Amino acid sequence: MKQRFRLLCALLPFCAANLSAQSGVVVGLGDNQFGQLGTPIPTNVRTLTQISDGVTQIQAAGYLSFILKADGTVWGSGQNNQDQIVDTGDGDWRYPSAMLAWTGVTEISASAWFTLVRTPLGELMGRGYNFSGQLGYGAPAKVSDRSLIATNVAHISAGGNHSIWVTTTGDLYGIGNNFFGNLGTGTSGSGAEQTVPVLIANGVIKASAGDCTLFLKSDGSLWGTGSNQRGQLGLGHINPVNTPTKIADNVVDMVSSNAQTFYITANHELWGMGDNEKGELGPDAQPSQLTPVKIAEDVAKVAASARFVIFVDTQGRAWGMGQNESGQFGVGDSIDRTSPVLITANVLQVSAGYAHSLFLKTDGTVWGAGNTYAGPLFSDPPTSSSSPQRSMARARQLSAGGDSTFVLRDDLTLWAAGQNYYQALGTGEVTREGLRRVADNVTKVSSSGQHTVFVKSDQSLWIAGVSGNGESGLIPQPSYENSVNQIANGVIDAAAGDRSTLFVDQDHQLWGMGLNQHGQLGVGHTGQLYLPAMVAENVDAVSSGPSHTLFLREDGGLWGMGLNGGGIIGTGTGTESHIPVFITHNVTAAACGANNSYFLTRNGELMGLGSSTNGQLGSTPPSAYNATPQLIARNVTDFATGDYHVVWINTDGELWGSGRARSGQLGDPVVDNVTTPRLLARQVTAVAAGQDHTVYTQVPETYLTNLSTRVKIPDTGEGRLVAGFVVSGTEPLTALIRAVGPGLNQFGVDGTLANPTLQIFNAAGDLVVANDDWAAGDPTQTAELETVSAQLGAFGLTPGSADAALLVTLSPGAYTAQIVRGEAPGGVVLLEVYNRNPRSWRSRLVNLSVRTDAGSGADTLTAGFVVEGNRDQSLLMRAVGPGLADFGVTGFLADPQLVLLKGTTTVASNDDWAGNSDVISQAADLGAFPLSGTTSADAATVVAVAPGAYTTQVLTKGDATGNTLVEIYQIDN
């Protein structure tokens, strides 16, 4: 909604990909109720999180979690729409934090709709949903307090809508829903409910209720009755079963879910039957497994939900199998498993809900993972924050609209977070999981909250969200539910207004369509437009707010149309203009707020029009409305506006703001309004603002200052070393780059490359600069190379040697350095890349990669780097061998080992990365290609290192050799 535009972007179709902004970590302030700060409101927690301690029993069911503590108290959280946890009296149904639910309890069992407990006196009590009478005769349809169901009870279990329990004498009773014959009475169907307890079986020691009822007798026989439509009773058919039927012998434990049943035999074998849609019965089972199939051995305990199973082996290790889309296995991803995946160790009990799981460890601590939409024992983060909230995202450009945030990364991928009720994020989901990928090859984006438009690098215009008011400019109106659609070609800029869309085509014509009740489309009337209408010519860029529009002409003139409350288009107050009116000249950027217009002049002055009641015009003398431009700040390079606040970046990289601050969008302290500009952050490179939130990118205070790699180029083959590095920043970086062969002899290195040639290529593959012999050229340049090398601490090169070296100024971007052997024999060579001004945060080295044959001894692949700054620096480091097969590389190193050294001290190491969740998440965030599988023999680790010099080595097993890719990525902390 508040898209700001720049003349530079209008002139360059690939503006988002040019390096006018520096990539940095995304930071947010303010309203976060929809996750728009880019920090997830975690509907899914994919790594195990500790919940509590001092616990003796756990229970997960539906969107509920309960823990029973040693003092007999039960605490619950999650879905409470039937008062399953506690009667709150306020009608709320979602409790993300633990609530005290019961006292004086020795056992608990729950379904999605009701809860059962057993007291020390053997009383069975329940609360929650009671439509089928499962909470006892005469109890209301919803029990908000507690209902006494039975006495002399030794064990309990809650099913879908029926309750079962074992008495102290071994009798199994049931009450409630009997539609599928769950209570074993010989009857089933509508009207078969039992509102008074019925005897199911004798000689029972344990029972489990799901859609069917399982019970275990004292002789080790397993019996079942009830739903069998998925073959979950393992009887070889899917026919109804309404009387107890024997399933297996020598059984010690079992569990019934909605779609499968599982049991453990006396020799610790785990067996299962029923639905196998998500692989929950293992790779040997059929899609519908009608007879028991063996799943695993050495199993001690088991828990199951409708689509996944978790079991504990005899060594106390928990394993998961089946659906994992909510991360309920806690291994850091959302990948389903058809074979068991190791979750954690020292486990005493496990329990499974719809899409979350709980683990009770031997030390009494409870851990959980998975879906937290209803908040089962996971506390939500604050819905607003005045302290900087750092997401894992790195971005070059930002945009915000309403309660959403859009992040445009270096690779032109568009990501979004926040409110998605109208599907305006284009992600097809309404969950609030932080940033989600929307589209590729995107250069610009603008959102009103109800719909979003974005321009791709091929100048195509796309839309997501509602379009019933003509926002798409297409007839008939397409449906945009869960989708994005192309609506135009040849577009260089676009803006999403309140139920309207404006765009500038490649001929610099401005077009508009959609709602026009205030004349904000500038076509001379207030009628709605379902097809694009031309508004103006010679236009470079456009911005649209709730009720007015601004556009910038090629000559720097700023024009506006629409509602003029508060003088926001500069023509006096209280009137509307249905055609464009001239506002001012010498403008390079402008943006619409709810009741304001802002623009940036060519001399860096940020000016504002309209309301100042929230302080959004800064230190301007208090006046309700301003139809004359007011100076807000000087020396401004970029700015953004929310509904009633404005934020800007000055030439020193400082972020300032003023205006409404009640949601924390202008940092601490939280006040209603900030009328004097407030400093928010330093080293800021890009900024965006939504309705009541602010997001910005910030570069770190610690840097990689020089990168190096040493390899042996073979005598045969290509005869070259290829290494990559990335320059990130807002300014060019001057680098000292050297290819040292003969210069290594002074350190006792044998077999050096006699005459290396150094070549630097840009991302397009164009040769930027090259050098053969460093001292063979201009003596002045040679002297400068010696001086700069000494200043940066690089060892000196012998005058007249055949080493290669050069000083080069590089614009931000990705580069490749190649060292060519030429006709000479191969040998050891050192590539070095130094940042001449390492303390300048406006340009920096961020990544290093090298791919070559790795071996042992002199063939060891070695890479070095130096960290400078005032705090630890996080790095993603990878040595990829088998992962190269995905790119058609043969002859790769089968099992590389990665070692990080500081001097001679090992700081970190990794052999097989084993699907490490930190590696997965950081690689995705940094744009690194995913490693093949989670069990490959590639090496990768995430490590935080203190400032200093480091060496990375790739070690091999025995005499193995092979092609290996080493990567070092800087993570913006």
Side-chain angles (χ1 to χ4, degrees):
M1 186 195 314
K2 323 300 183 307
Q3 185 200 15
R4 46 131 176 87
F5 55 75
R6 307 191 64 82
L7 180 62
L8 176 63
C9 289
L11 295 176
L12 297 174
F14 300 94
C15 175
N18 76 26
L19 297 158
S20 61
Q22 181 172 356
S23 176
V25 68
V26 176
V27 184
L29 292 165
D31 187 8
N32 194 39
Q33 63 176 320
F34 300 104
Q36 58 263 48
L37 298 188
T39 54
I41 293 183
T43 53
N44 294 314
V45 174
R46 297 191 176 100
T47 56
L48 285 182
T49 302
Q50 184 172 345
I51 296 170
S52 187
D53 55 15
V55 177
T56 61
Q57 190 196 342
I58 55 176
Q59 178 71 61
Y63 293 113
L64 288 161
S65 290
F66 291 96
I67 57 173
L68 173 59
K69 293 206 168 190
D71 61 3
T73 59
V74 173
W75 299 77
S77 73
Q79 182 174 293
N80 192 48
N81 56 334
Q82 298 295 329
D83 292 345
Q84 305 98 308
I85 306 171
V86 64
D87 178 16
T88 62
D90 60 6
D92 202 347
W93 68 274
R94 182 173 180 261
Y95 286 88
S97 300
M99 303 276 291
L100 179 61
W102 303 80
T103 59
V105 173
T106 56
E107 185 184 7
I108 182 170
S109 182
S111 77
W113 307 108
F114 68 98
T115 307
L116 303 177
V117 298
R118 178 170 59 90
T119 71
L121 298 178
E123 298 169 319
L124 172 60
M125 309 186 78
R127 70 183 312 147
Y129 184 66
N130 189 38
F131 182 79
S132 298
Q134 62 266 34
L135 298 182
Y137 176 74
K142 184 171 78 170
V143 178
S144 297
D145 187 6
R146 58 181 66 193
S147 174
L148 178 64
I149 303 171
T151 57
N152 299 318
V153 175
H155 173 64
I156 62 176
S157 182
N161 283 309
H162 71 290
S163 303
I164 59 175
W165 63 93
V166 181
T167 67
T168 53
T169 58
D171 298 325
L172 175 64
Y173 283 88
I175 190 173
N177 187 299
N178 192 35
F179 185 86
F180 294 107
N182 317 57
L183 302 181
T185 61
T187 60
S188 59
S190 179
E193 291 87 357
Q194 296 293 324
T195 57
V196 295
V198 296
L199 178 65
I200 300 174
N202 307 113
V204 177
I205 59 174
K206 188 174 182 181
S208 177
D211 273 4
C212 63
T213 295
L214 296 180
F215 58 91
L216 181 61
K217 289 195 172 188
S218 55
D219 63 359
S221 59
L222 175 64
W223 298 69
T225 182
S227 177
N228 189 41
Q229 58 187 340
R230 295 181 176 89
Q232 59 263 54
L233 292 181
L235 302 175
H237 59 75
I238 57 173
N239 301 322
V241 176
N242 54 26
T243 57
T245 303
K246 187 176 179 180
I247 298 173
D249 289 310
N250 298 316
V251 176
V252 295
D253 201 3
M254 76 294 177
V255 66
S256 173
S257 76
N258 293 338
Q260 312 89 14
T261 57
F262 300 87
Y263 64 87
I264 303 171
T265 62
N267 60 349
H268 299 294
E269 294 177 342
L270 175 64
W271 294 72
M273 51 272 197
D275 196 346
N276 191 39
E277 179 183 351
K278 296 295 183 179
E280 51 269 60
L281 298 180
D284 298 329
Q286 299 297 316
S288 294
Q289 183 66 36
L290 304 184
T291 57
V293 60
K294 188 167 77 170
I295 299 172
E297 298 179 342
D298 298 319
V299 177
K301 301 182 188 309
V302 62
S305 184
R307 290 290 178 265
F308 69 97
V309 61
I310 297 175
F311 60 88
V312 182
D313 64 22
T314 55
Q315 300 176 55
R317 298 176 301 183
W319 302 76
M321 192 162 56
Q323 188 178 66
N324 186 43
E325 66 178 14
S326 297
Q328 54 262 49
F329 294 155
V331 293
D333 59 42
S334 56
I335 302 170
D336 295 345
R337 300 302 202 282
T338 57
S339 296
V341 59
L342 178 62
I343 300 173
T344 188
N346 302 316
V347 176
L348 187 64
Q349 294 178 23
V350 289
S351 189
Y354 278 160
H356 75 287
S357 53
L358 301 177
F359 303 81
L360 175 60
K361 295 203 171 186
T362 53
D363 61 0
T365 59
V366 175
W367 298 70
N371 185 285
T372 63
Y373 175 69
L377 293 181
F378 294 84
S379 295
D380 274 354
T383 56
S384 64
S385 178
S386 59
S387 300
Q389 302 297 305
R390 292 175 177 264
S391 80
M392 291 181 61
R394 290 181 63 186
R396 183 179 304 283
Q397 191 178 88
L398 301 169
S399 182
D403 295 317
S404 59
T405 297
F406 293 86
V407 171
L408 192 57
R409 295 188 175 178
D410 297 355
D411 60 0
L412 299 186
T413 58
L414 178 65
W415 299 68
Q419 203 267 6
N420 198 29
Y421 180 77
Y422 298 101
Q423 298 297 325
L425 299 190
T427 62
E429 302 176 25
V430 297
T431 54
R432 301 175 290 170
E433 291 193 29
L435 292 169
R436 291 299 187 85
R437 190 167 182 162
V438 177
D440 299 331
N441 300 313
V442 176
T443 60
K444 302 181 184 195
V445 61
S446 175
S447 181
S448 68
Q450 294 191 13
H451 79 291
T452 300
V453 292
F454 56 88
V455 182
K456 290 195 173 186
S457 56
D458 63 358
Q459 297 188 340
S460 59
L461 179 63
W462 297 71
I463 189 171
V466 297
S467 185
N469 297 285
E471 295 94 330
S472 70
L474 300 176
I475 295 179
Q477 294 290 309
S479 171
Y480 292 119
E481 184 177 358
N482 299 336
S483 65
V484 294
N485 292 269
Q486 184 177 350
I487 60 174
N489 285 304
V491 175
I492 61 174
D493 196 26
D498 184 15
R499 292 168 288 177
S500 64
T501 301
L502 296 105
F503 65 89
V504 182
D505 67 19
Q506 59 192 358
D507 296 322
H508 295 274
Q509 296 174 330
L510 175 63
W511 299 77
M513 59 267 198
L515 201 64
N516 187 37
Q517 77 273 34
H518 298 293
Q520 61 264 46
L521 296 183
V523 291
H525 59 77
T526 58
Q528 198 161 347
L529 299 176
Y530 288 94
L531 291 172
M534 193 176 78
V535 180
E537 296 182 307
N538 303 316
V539 177
D540 275 333
V542 61
S543 177
S544 186
S547 54
H548 76 292
T549 299
L550 301 174
F551 64 87
L552 183 64
R553 288 188 185 270
E554 293 176 286
D555 61 2
L558 179 64
W559 295 68
M561 57 268 195
L563 189 66
N564 192 41
I568 56 180
I569 59 173
T571 61
T573 61
T575 60
E576 291 180 351
S577 178
H578 303 158
I579 60 173
V581 295
F582 177 73
I583 299 174
T584 189
H585 52 80
N586 294 324
V587 175
T588 62
C592 299
N595 291 321
N596 293 91
S597 295
Y598 302 91
F599 60 90
L600 185 62
T601 68
R602 286 175 175 167
N603 61 358
E605 293 177 335
L606 177 62
M607 311 293 291
L609 289 162
S611 172
S612 61
T613 55
N614 297 99
Q616 58 264 54
L617 298 186
S619 301
T620 300
S623 175
Y625 305 107
N626 295 273
T628 302
Q630 304 295 307
L631 176 65
I632 300 173
R634 301 183 189 275
N635 301 316
V636 175
T637 61
D638 198 3
F639 75 97
T641 175
D643 273 0
Y644 304 103
H645 75 287
V646 61
V647 286
W648 62 91
I649 305 171
N650 66 19
T651 52
D652 294 325
E654 297 173 333
L655 178 66
W656 294 76
S658 63
R660 189 163 71 179
R662 65 189 185 189
S663 295
Q665 61 264 50
L666 295 180
D668 284 320
V670 175
V671 294
D672 286 340
N673 301 306
V674 171
T675 57
T676 300
R678 175 187 289 177
L679 178 63
L680 305 180
R682 303 181 191 276
Q683 297 190 180
V684 175
T685 61
V687 66
Q691 178 175 318
D692 283 313
H693 71 286
T694 300
V695 289
Y696 56 92
T697 56
Q698 190 175 36
V699 295
E701 300 171 8
T702 307
Y703 319 99
L704 298 179
T705 59
N706 51 290
L707 311 171
S708 63
T709 182
R710 194 189 80 172
V711 299
K712 183 178 181 181
I713 295 179
D715 295 334
T716 58
E718 257 190 340
R720 69 181 64 218
L721 163 68
V722 180
F725 61 93
V726 174
V727 175
S728 177
T730 58
E731 298 175 351
L733 179 146
T734 300
L736 168 66
I737 306 177
R738 309 197 307 179
V740 184
L744 296 177
N745 295 333
Q746 61 186 302
F747 301 104
V749 177
D750 296 326
T752 58
L753 187 63
N755 189 13
T757 298
L758 177 62
Q759 299 172 333
I760 308 298
F761 296 86
N762 61 21
D766 301 323
L767 180 65
V768 176
V769 66
N771 177 260
D772 187 2
D773 299 333
W774 75 282
D778 186 342
T780 302
Q781 184 179 19
T782 301
E784 187 179 12
L785 284 169
E786 291 179 321
T787 300
V788 173
S789 296
Q791 290 172 344
L792 295 174
F795 62 84
L797 299 179
T798 303
S801 74
D803 300 299
L806 49 83
L807 278 170
V808 58
T809 299
L810 302 171
S811 298
Y815 293 89
T816 300
Q818 294 191 15
I819 300 176
V820 182
R821 182 192 70 217
E823 300 299 325
V828 178
V829 64
L830 173 68
L831 170 68
E832 299 175 303
V833 182
Y834 293 86
N835 183 352
R836 184 173 184 178
N837 300 302
R839 298 187 182 279
S840 173
W841 61 270
R842 295 187 183 276
S843 56
R844 54 196 173 109
L845 296 170
V846 292
N847 300 334
L848 169 69
S849 63
V850 58
R851 197 191 90 183
T852 190
D853 285 335
S856 58
D859 296 327
T860 299
L861 176 54
T862 302
F865 57 89
V866 175
V867 174
E868 286 195 15
N870 55 13
R871 61 178 180 176
D872 289 356
Q873 174 63 56
S874 296
L875 303 168
L876 169 65
M877 307 180 66
R878 310 199 303 183
V880 183
L884 296 177
D886 294 340
F887 302 94
V889 176
T890 59
F892 52 79
L893 187 62
D895 191 5
Q897 181 179 354
L898 185 65
V899 177
L900 178 63
L901 302 169
K902 187 174 186 181
T904 59
T905 302
T906 299
V907 176
S909 64
N910 180 261
D911 188 357
D912 299 332
W913 76 290
N916 181 279
S917 59
D918 285 344
V919 170
I920 293 173
S921 60
Q922 292 292 354
D925 180 58
L926 293 165
F929 66 86
L931 296 179
S932 54
T934 58
T935 58
S936 73
D938 299 301
T941 186
V942 174
V943 60
V945 297
Y950 294 86
T951 302
T952 301
Q953 292 184 342
V954 176
L955 304 183
T956 63
K957 305 289 178 68
D959 297 328
T961 61
N963 209 275
T964 308
L965 172 67
V966 172
E967 299 173 302
I968 301 170
Y969 291 89
Q970 178 178 344
I971 299 171
D972 285 347
N973 296 323

